[in-house]
């Protein structure tokens, strides 16, 4: 091999190694971030959470910080949106090794996006939804909406345990804010999937306020975990975004909330939404 050829090969190998290291290196400090006083030491049974973790939000140590936010409430079931597979893997690792909270995970990726999720160009990271559960999950499905709007969107569903009973849990992210007509078609697909279930939980970022027309079908089937929230009481629904709109929901069928909270966070443009449940 000529000198120029050897140098070119060496350079290519270095670039490849940098890309691989960048895609797998942990972010943030390895020392656990301290949690607020009173934070649970173990996963809280029957507590569920939905959180759009915001991609592409920037900043060092995002996944370690996100894990600390989740550990502050330690829900049994977590639905994440705008989630890259690699980010969720790191969040789960932080939860386990820094806080002792062990979760199973299933992914509902709708995009393979190197620009969003990094990795190496020939193996980009999956982007979409993810569900973490303290108990094993079965019968996972991943459905892409026929029309995603400006970006592919979909829902995922798994069966896991809540309040000691198997329950179908859905996690979705609907089309962007100004794409109402697309969301109408998406909620029709979702409502058809959940209508035949007597006991189910739907988590997600619906990009629609409570009295939006596209949520009519959901309100016909579900109540929100926020007891004061509904299409007729949209003004009293607790905001869940930085622009103080209510876009994020924990829709319940066969369950009733015993507690509910929306928690501001600097690590996303959406707040964490959490609810404690019991069988209705």
């Amino acid at each position: 091999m000529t000198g120029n050829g050897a140098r070119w090969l060496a350079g290519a190998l270095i670039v490849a190694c940098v890309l691989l290291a960048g895609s797998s290196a942990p972010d943030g400090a390895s020392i656990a971030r301290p949690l607020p006083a009173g934070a649970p030491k173990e996963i809280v049974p029957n507590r569920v959470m939905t959180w759009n973790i915001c991609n592409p939000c920037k900043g060092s140590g995002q996944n370690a910080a996100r894990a600390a936010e989740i550990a502050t409430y330690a829900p049994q079931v977590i639905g994440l949106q705008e989630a890259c597979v690699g980010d969720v893997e790191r969040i789960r690792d932080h939860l386990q090794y820094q806080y002792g909270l062990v979760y199973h995970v299933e992914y509902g990726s709708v995009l393979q996006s190197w620009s969003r999720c990094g990795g190496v160009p020939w193996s980009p990271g999956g982007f979409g939804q993810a569900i973490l559960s303290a108990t094993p999950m079965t019968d996972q499905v991943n459905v892409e909406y026929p029309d995603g709007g400006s970006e592919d969107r979909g829902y995922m569903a798994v069966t896991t345990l809540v309040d000691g009973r198997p329950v179908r849990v859905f996690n979705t992210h609907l089309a962007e804010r100004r794409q109402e007509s697309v969301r109408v078609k998406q909620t029709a697909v979702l409502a058809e999937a959940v209508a035949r279930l007597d006991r189910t939980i739907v988590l997600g970022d619906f990009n629609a306020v409570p009295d939006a027309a596209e949520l009519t079908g959901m309100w016909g089937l579900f109540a929100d975990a926020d007891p004061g929230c509904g299409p007729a009481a949209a003004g009293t629904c607790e905001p869940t975004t930085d622009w103080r709109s209510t876009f994020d929901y924990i829709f319940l069928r066969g369950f009733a909330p015993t507690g509910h909270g929306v928690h501001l966070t600097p690590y996303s443009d959406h707040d964490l939404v959490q609810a404690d449940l019991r069988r209705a």
Side-chain angles (χ1 to χ4, degrees):
M1 181 179 292
T2 66
N4 287 338
R7 283 193 293 273
W8 181 91
L9 178 59
L13 288 171
I14 290 170
V15 169
C17 289
V18 169
L19 286 169
L20 287 167
S23 67
S24 60
D27 61 344
S30 59
I31 299 174
R33 296 179 179 227
L35 301 181
K41 304 296 185 185
E42 299 177 344
I43 290 172
V44 179
N46 311 324
R47 176 170 290 177
V48 300
M49 173 185 287
T50 184
W51 190 18
N52 181 322
I53 59 176
C54 186
N55 180 293
C57 285
K58 301 297 182 182
S60 62
Q62 285 283 315
N63 292 321
R66 289 164 175 162
E69 295 283 280
I70 292 170
T72 298
Y73 308 101
Q76 180 183 340
V77 178
I78 307 160
L80 300 178
Q81 304 89 42
E82 293 196 29
C84 293
V85 169
D87 288 335
V88 176
E89 289 173 343
R90 294 180 180 93
I91 290 169
R92 182 176 65 165
D93 286 347
H94 285 298
L95 288 167
Q96 179 173 353
Y97 297 115
Q98 296 185 357
Y99 303 106
L101 305 176
V102 179
Y103 289 96
H104 306 267
V105 63
E106 296 288 352
Y107 297 98
S109 299
V110 292
L111 288 172
Q112 297 297 316
S113 177
W114 182 77
S115 61
R116 275 189 181 270
C117 294
V120 292
W122 55 89
S123 182
F127 174 79
Q129 288 77 246
I131 294 177
L132 291 81
S133 176
T135 58
M137 293 173 277
T138 60
D139 304 318
Q140 192 265 342
V141 298
N142 186 27
V143 175
E144 190 171 330
Y145 293 123
D147 184 358
S150 56
E151 180 179 84
D152 294 348
R153 296 289 166 91
Y155 73 80
M156 63 178 300
V158 301
T159 298
T160 190
L161 296 179
V162 176
D163 201 11
R165 298 282 297 277
V167 60
R168 200 76 174 144
V169 178
F170 290 74
N171 182 19
T172 192
H173 186 195
L174 300 192
E176 294 180 353
R177 279 180 284 172
R178 294 175 178 85
Q179 298 175 356
E180 294 89 348
S181 62
V182 177
R183 291 197 299 275
V184 168
K185 293 182 284 188
Q186 292 173 344
T187 52
V189 172
L190 180 61
E192 183 179 1
V194 300
R196 60 183 178 272
L197 301 171
D198 295 328
R199 185 174 60 252
T200 186
I201 300 167
V202 180
L203 312 170
D205 172 9
F206 284 74
N207 271 319
V209 294
D211 57 354
E214 58 266 37
L215 292 189
T216 301
M218 296 301 294
W219 291 120
L221 296 169
F222 293 94
D224 188 41
D226 180 351
C229 188
T236 64
C237 299
E238 195 165 354
T240 66
T241 66
D242 284 357
W243 46 96
R244 309 326 297 152
S245 295
T246 304
F247 282 177
D248 305 270
Y249 300 90
I250 299 175
F251 283 120
L252 303 174
R253 196 171 189 187
F255 289 91
T258 61
H260 171 269
V262 177
H263 310 288
L264 292 169
T265 170
Y267 305 109
S268 174
D269 54 2
H270 287 251
D271 306 329
L272 290 84
V273 182
Q274 160 257 312
D276 297 327
L277 308 179
R278 63 169 176 80
R279 278 176 279 169

